[in-house]
Amino acid sequence: MKKFVASLGLFALSLSATGAYATPEPWQARFQAAATPIMEEIIWFEQYTLWFITPITLLVMALLAWCIYRYRASANPVPSRTSHNTLIEVLWTVGPVIVLLFLAVPSFQLLTSQYTPDEEPAMTIKATGVQWYWDFEYQAEENPLSFTSLLLQEGDRAAAGKENLEQYPRLLAVDNEVVVPVDTTVRVLVTASDVIHAFAMPPFGIKVDAVPGRINETWFKAEREGLYYGQCSELCGKDHAFMPIAIRVVSKDRFQTWYAAAQDDLEGANRALLAALENGGSEETVASAAE
């Protein structure tokens, strides 16, 4: 049943997604399209809990309205002095316990999944929150890569080739996206250099505090290629609202080519990757940036 509901939810979300970009929409009331199994579970659990929340809310409202009408002073001038009712007390004790059990079991399963990857992560990225931008480091024994990701200024859009506001929304687009391969388990080490920040990526279902002097760990496995956005979700100062996070998920071949090119020229590798994705270019187009 759980997998069936999750599949329906993912199908509906895929219909609402536009192209290869999962950008938030104005006045959006629902979750962004899920890009990881964890986010699919979160969406399923939210829908699952509504089957309990909705009838409980309606029942309480109906009981409240009935009590207001039935026991109003004009219709019931002499109130009952009944102080105990064994049946009612058993029902309102056992009922919530059963409901909590139905909520607790899938909740604990989801919590366990969030902290336990299905496989050993294939790559590790360190994210460091700084007032008010992010530093990223690909931790590899050979050829590590690090760069700073800043909010894309409006005047820099043309030079960066990111003038399409639908694909690169205002206050969410960055100059250097994190690039990861699809269907790959990625470990993210999160910390901060000054104050407490928070690394949040809604389409991946992850949110973890970035605390100075401490490293927190999370993970994700993106199953859909595209460009996904998140933000710092901890009040961290005057420019808290200007710390976006952008993660671009590409094929494994394109990632390897981009990573090799970025060792010598990150800006050129990013431009070549963008051109290859938008124009259907090959991996050789990305590789040319390193030449």
Side-chain angles (χ1 to χ4, degrees), residues 197-214:
H197 301 277
F199 186 88
M201 182 57 62
F204 294 174
I206 59 176
K207 179 180 180 293
V208 60
D209 284 342
V211 182
R214 178 174 178 176

Side-chain angles (χ1 to χ4, degrees), residues 1-11 40 43-45 47-48 51:
M1 179 64 182
K2 176 178 177 181
K3 292 182 178 179
F4 175 74
V5 176
S7 299
L8 288 179
L10 182 60
F11 175 72
E40 292 175 23
I43 293 175
W44 175 87
F45 184 68
Q47 296 170 342
Y48 173 76
W51 287 100

